[in-house]
Amino acid sequence: KAGVTQTPRYLIKTRGQQVTLSCSPISGHRSVSWYQQTPGQGLQFLFEYFSETQRNKGNFPGRFSGRQFSNSRSEMNVSTLELGDSALYLCASSLLENEQYFGPGTRLTVT
Amino acid sequence: KNEVEQSPQNLTAQEGEFITINCSYSVGISALHWLQQHPGGGIVSLFMLSSGKKKHGRLIATINIQEKHSSLHITASHPRDSAVYICAGRSYNTDKLIFGTGTRLQVFP
Protein backbone atom coordinates (compact mmCIF):
# COMPACT_ATOMS: atom_id res chain seq x y z
CA LYS A 1 0.00 0.00 0.00
CA ALA A 2 1.37 3.41 -0.92
CA GLY A 3 2.04 5.75 1.98
CA VAL A 4 0.89 9.29 2.52
CA THR A 5 2.26 11.63 -0.12
CA GLN A 6 2.67 15.39 0.09
CA THR A 7 3.46 17.85 -2.64
CA PRO A 8 5.48 19.87 -3.06
CA ARG A 9 8.27 18.76 -0.72
CA TYR A 10 9.97 22.13 -0.64
CA LEU A 11 8.64 25.58 -1.33
CA ILE A 12 10.01 29.11 -1.12
CA LYS A 13 7.55 31.98 -1.08
CA THR A 14 7.65 35.70 -0.44
CA ARG A 15 5.78 37.53 2.31
CA GLY A 16 2.27 38.40 1.23
CA GLN A 17 1.94 35.54 -1.25
CA GLN A 18 -0.34 32.60 -0.79
CA VAL A 19 0.46 28.90 -0.94
CA THR A 20 -1.44 25.65 -1.43
CA LEU A 21 -0.11 22.35 -0.14
CA SER A 22 -1.47 18.96 -1.13
CA CYS A 23 -1.81 15.67 0.72
CA SER A 24 -2.87 12.29 -0.64
CA PRO A 25 -3.81 9.84 2.12
CA ILE A 26 -3.34 6.11 2.25
CA SER A 27 -6.01 4.38 0.20
CA GLY A 28 -9.07 3.75 2.34
CA HIS A 29 -8.22 6.38 4.94
CA ARG A 30 -10.91 9.02 5.13
CA SER A 31 -9.41 11.12 7.92
CA VAL A 32 -6.67 13.64 7.12
CA SER A 33 -5.03 15.89 9.69
CA TRP A 34 -2.59 18.73 9.15
CA TYR A 35 0.16 19.86 11.50
CA GLN A 36 2.69 22.66 11.61
CA GLN A 37 6.13 22.09 13.06
CA THR A 38 8.51 24.92 13.93
CA PRO A 39 11.65 24.96 16.07
CA GLY A 40 10.03 27.37 18.51
CA GLN A 41 6.53 25.92 18.89
CA GLY A 42 7.10 22.29 18.04
CA LEU A 43 4.24 20.33 16.52
CA GLN A 44 0.87 22.01 16.50
CA PHE A 45 -2.47 20.75 15.22
CA LEU A 46 -3.95 22.74 12.31
CA PHE A 47 -7.11 20.90 11.21
CA GLU A 48 -8.69 17.53 10.70
CA TYR A 49 -10.98 16.51 7.86
CA PHE A 50 -13.20 13.47 7.59
CA SER A 51 -15.38 12.70 4.59
CA GLU A 52 -14.95 16.22 3.18
CA THR A 53 -15.99 17.89 6.46
CA GLN A 54 -13.73 19.79 8.80
CA ARG A 55 -14.01 17.86 12.01
CA ASN A 56 -11.67 19.90 14.16
CA LYS A 57 -9.56 23.03 13.97
CA GLY A 58 -6.51 24.24 15.88
CA ASN A 59 -5.76 27.73 17.12
CA PHE A 60 -4.50 29.29 13.93
CA PRO A 61 -5.62 32.51 12.23
CA GLY A 62 -8.15 32.48 9.43
CA ARG A 63 -5.31 32.80 6.89
CA PHE A 64 -4.93 29.05 7.30
CA SER A 65 -7.65 27.05 5.59
CA GLY A 66 -8.13 23.63 4.18
CA ARG A 67 -10.46 21.33 2.36
CA GLN A 68 -10.90 17.67 1.55
CA PHE A 69 -12.12 16.23 -1.71
CA SER A 70 -14.39 13.27 -2.33
CA ASN A 71 -11.35 11.03 -2.98
CA SER A 72 -10.04 12.01 0.51
CA ARG A 73 -7.17 14.05 -0.90
CA SER A 74 -6.73 17.23 1.07
CA GLU A 75 -5.27 20.66 0.49
CA MET A 76 -4.33 23.40 2.86
CA ASN A 77 -3.96 27.01 1.92
CA VAL A 78 -2.14 29.83 3.65
CA SER A 79 -2.90 33.32 2.43
CA THR A 80 -0.92 36.51 3.01
CA LEU A 81 2.18 34.63 4.09
CA GLU A 82 4.22 35.90 7.02
CA LEU A 83 7.82 35.09 7.93
CA GLY A 84 6.54 33.14 10.92
CA ASP A 85 4.70 30.73 8.64
CA SER A 86 8.02 29.17 7.68
CA ALA A 87 7.69 25.64 8.94
CA LEU A 88 7.42 21.98 8.12
CA TYR A 89 3.80 21.18 7.29
CA LEU A 90 2.86 17.58 7.87
CA CYS A 91 -0.27 15.73 7.03
CA ALA A 92 -1.35 12.42 8.44
CA SER A 93 -4.08 10.03 7.44
CA SER A 94 -5.91 7.47 9.51
CA LEU A 95 -9.02 5.49 9.98
CA LEU A 96 -10.96 7.82 12.27
CA GLU A 97 -9.20 8.32 15.65
CA ASN A 98 -6.82 5.46 15.02
CA GLU A 99 -3.06 5.38 14.52
CA GLN A 100 -1.88 8.20 12.29
CA TYR A 101 0.33 7.69 9.27
CA PHE A 102 2.42 10.74 8.45
CA GLY A 103 3.57 12.05 5.13
CA PRO A 104 7.12 13.31 4.54
CA GLY A 105 6.05 16.93 4.95
CA THR A 106 6.34 20.11 2.95
CA ARG A 107 9.06 22.48 4.08
CA LEU A 108 7.87 26.03 3.48
CA THR A 109 10.28 28.95 3.63
CA VAL A 110 8.87 32.46 3.57
CA THR A 111 11.33 35.23 2.70
CA LYS B 1 2.99 24.89 31.82
CA ASN B 2 2.51 22.65 28.78
CA GLU B 3 -0.40 20.24 28.90
CA VAL B 4 1.91 17.46 27.70
CA GLU B 5 5.45 17.40 29.04
CA GLN B 6 8.34 15.14 28.22
CA SER B 7 11.59 14.38 29.98
CA PRO B 8 14.41 14.42 29.42
CA GLN B 9 14.73 16.94 26.58
CA ASN B 10 18.01 15.41 25.46
CA LEU B 11 19.40 11.96 26.07
CA THR B 12 22.66 10.33 25.04
CA ALA B 13 23.36 6.66 25.45
CA GLN B 14 25.88 4.01 24.54
CA GLU B 15 24.80 1.25 22.24
CA GLY B 16 23.13 -1.53 24.19
CA GLU B 17 21.83 0.63 27.02
CA PHE B 18 18.23 0.55 28.24
CA ILE B 19 16.49 3.86 27.60
CA THR B 20 13.41 5.42 29.17
CA ILE B 21 11.60 8.51 27.97
CA ASN B 22 8.81 9.94 30.10
CA CYS B 23 5.63 11.77 29.21
CA SER B 24 3.25 13.43 31.69
CA TYR B 25 -0.02 15.10 30.83
CA SER B 26 -2.36 17.37 32.76
CA VAL B 27 -5.50 17.04 30.63
CA GLY B 28 -7.92 14.19 30.17
CA ILE B 29 -6.97 12.15 27.17
CA SER B 30 -8.60 9.33 25.25
CA ALA B 31 -5.33 8.01 23.79
CA LEU B 32 -1.60 8.60 23.97
CA HIS B 33 0.61 8.43 20.90
CA TRP B 34 4.35 7.91 20.70
CA LEU B 35 6.00 9.18 17.52
CA GLN B 36 9.53 8.95 16.16
CA GLN B 37 11.04 11.67 13.98
CA HIS B 38 14.31 11.19 12.17
CA PRO B 39 16.49 14.02 10.82
CA GLY B 40 14.86 15.21 7.60
CA GLY B 41 11.45 15.39 9.21
CA GLY B 42 9.67 12.11 8.54
CA ILE B 43 7.46 11.01 11.44
CA VAL B 44 6.60 7.42 12.21
CA SER B 45 3.86 6.44 14.62
CA LEU B 46 5.27 3.94 17.11
CA PHE B 47 2.36 3.32 19.45
CA MET B 48 -1.15 4.43 20.24
CA LEU B 49 -2.38 3.31 23.63
CA SER B 50 -5.15 4.11 26.06
CA SER B 51 -4.26 1.65 28.83
CA GLY B 52 -1.66 -0.85 29.91
CA LYS B 53 1.35 -1.72 27.85
CA LYS B 54 2.30 -2.40 24.24
CA LYS B 55 5.46 -3.95 22.83
CA HIS B 56 6.91 -3.89 19.36
CA GLY B 57 10.34 -5.38 18.90
CA ARG B 58 12.73 -3.57 21.24
CA LEU B 59 10.22 -0.83 22.01
CA ILE B 60 7.80 -0.91 24.92
CA ALA B 61 5.22 1.75 25.78
CA THR B 62 3.30 1.90 29.03
CA ILE B 63 0.62 4.20 30.33
CA ASN B 64 -0.71 4.82 33.84
CA ILE B 65 -4.08 6.53 33.52
CA GLN B 66 -4.39 7.36 37.24
CA GLU B 67 -0.98 9.02 37.36
CA LYS B 68 -1.37 10.61 33.89
CA HIS B 69 2.00 9.29 32.87
CA SER B 70 3.41 7.27 30.00
CA SER B 71 6.85 5.87 29.34
CA LEU B 72 8.64 4.70 26.22
CA HIS B 73 11.38 2.17 26.77
CA ILE B 74 14.01 1.06 24.29
CA THR B 75 15.87 -2.11 25.14
CA ALA B 76 19.33 -2.84 23.71
CA SER B 77 19.55 0.60 22.10
CA HIS B 78 21.24 0.96 18.72
CA PRO B 79 22.61 4.00 16.85
CA ARG B 80 19.73 3.71 14.39
CA ASP B 81 17.39 4.54 17.32
CA SER B 82 18.83 8.07 17.29
CA ALA B 83 15.88 10.34 16.63
CA VAL B 84 13.45 12.70 18.31
CA TYR B 85 10.69 10.93 20.22
CA ILE B 86 7.43 12.80 20.67
CA CYS B 87 4.44 11.94 22.78
CA ALA B 88 1.00 13.33 22.02
CA GLY B 89 -2.29 13.06 23.86
CA ARG B 90 -5.72 13.21 22.23
CA SER B 91 -7.75 15.55 24.40
CA TYR B 92 -11.11 14.25 25.67
CA ASN B 93 -12.56 17.76 25.56
CA THR B 94 -11.37 19.00 22.19
CA ASP B 95 -10.45 15.74 20.44
CA LYS B 96 -7.25 17.43 19.27
CA LEU B 97 -3.75 15.99 19.51
CA ILE B 98 -1.58 17.91 21.98
CA PHE B 99 2.12 17.35 21.50
CA GLY B 100 5.01 17.23 23.90
CA THR B 101 8.18 19.08 22.96
CA GLY B 102 10.09 15.94 22.13
CA THR B 103 13.13 14.08 23.46
CA ARG B 104 16.24 14.08 21.31
CA LEU B 105 18.00 10.72 21.65
CA GLN B 106 21.51 10.02 20.44
CA VAL B 107 22.91 6.52 20.71
CA PHE B 108 26.65 6.17 20.18
CA PRO B 109 28.39 2.98 19.05
Side-chain angles (χ1 to χ4, degrees):
Chain A
K1 224 179 208 182
V4 177
T5 58
Q6 291 187 245
T7 56
R9 293 291 311 277
Y10 302 90
L11 204 47
I12 300 175
K13 289 285 189 179
T14 305
R15 269 181 302 176
Q17 288 186 315
Q18 69 142 19
V19 67
T20 298
L21 312 181
S22 180
C23 173
S24 292
I26 289 172
S27 177
H29 286 187
R30 291 162 65 190
S31 177
V32 174
S33 299
W34 287 90
Y35 303 94
Q36 182 197 63
Q37 187 177 37
T38 60
Q41 299 295 319
L43 269 166
Q44 296 184 90
F45 169 74
L46 277 160
F47 7 73
E48 180 184 5
Y49 287 88
F50 182 79
S51 293
E52 300 179 68
T53 301
Q54 187 178 88
R55 192 167 168 268
N56 218 331
K57 189 177 190 306
N59 299 325
F60 280 81
R63 299 184 298 106
F64 291 80
S65 63
R67 59 179 175 168
Q68 187 180 34
F69 301 95
S70 58
N71 62 358
S72 294
R73 189 178 70 85
S74 178
E75 288 181 348
M76 66 162 280
N77 184 277
V78 187
S79 61
T80 321
L81 283 165
E82 301 177 0
L83 294 179
D85 298 332
S86 294
L88 180 67
Y89 290 89
L90 293 150
C91 84
S93 76
S94 68
L95 300 171
L96 190 61
E97 292 188 9
N98 280 329
E99 184 178 356
Q100 303 222 317
Y101 294 82
F102 286 81
T106 294
R107 189 165 296 280
L108 171 65
T109 302
V110 182
T111 63
Chain B
K1 192 178 188 306
N2 292 335
E3 293 172 307
V4 176
E5 293 202 333
Q6 287 183 238
S7 63
Q9 278 190 307
N10 294 285
L11 188 52
T12 58
Q14 288 295 126
E15 183 173 357
E17 285 185 5
F18 180 85
I19 287 160
T20 296
I21 299 170
N22 296 298
C23 176
S24 297
Y25 50 93
S26 57
V27 294
I29 64 169
S30 57
L32 192 289
H33 296 250
W34 280 101
L35 310 172
Q36 180 194 56
Q37 185 172 32
H38 280 283
I43 292 180
V44 174
S45 177
L46 298 174
F47 296 102
M48 185 184 79
L49 65 166
S50 53
S51 65
K53 176 178 172 178
K54 285 190 176 181
K55 184 175 190 291
H56 185 254
R58 294 180 295 106
L59 302 178
I60 303 165
T62 64
I63 188 167
N64 184 317
I65 303 295
Q66 286 74 28
E67 293 187 5
K68 293 189 173 180
H69 181 268
S70 176
S71 293
L72 176 68
H73 305 287
I74 305 175
T75 61
S77 59
H78 190 276
R80 65 174 174 266
D81 297 326
S82 298
V84 176
Y85 292 84
I86 303 166
C87 71
R90 184 172 288 278
S91 166
Y92 259 134
N93 288 340
T94 66
D95 207 29
K96 298 173 188 176
L97 273 183
I98 306 169
F99 295 89
T101 52
T103 295
R104 185 175 300 276
L105 170 66
Q106 287 184 291
V107 182
F108 294 98

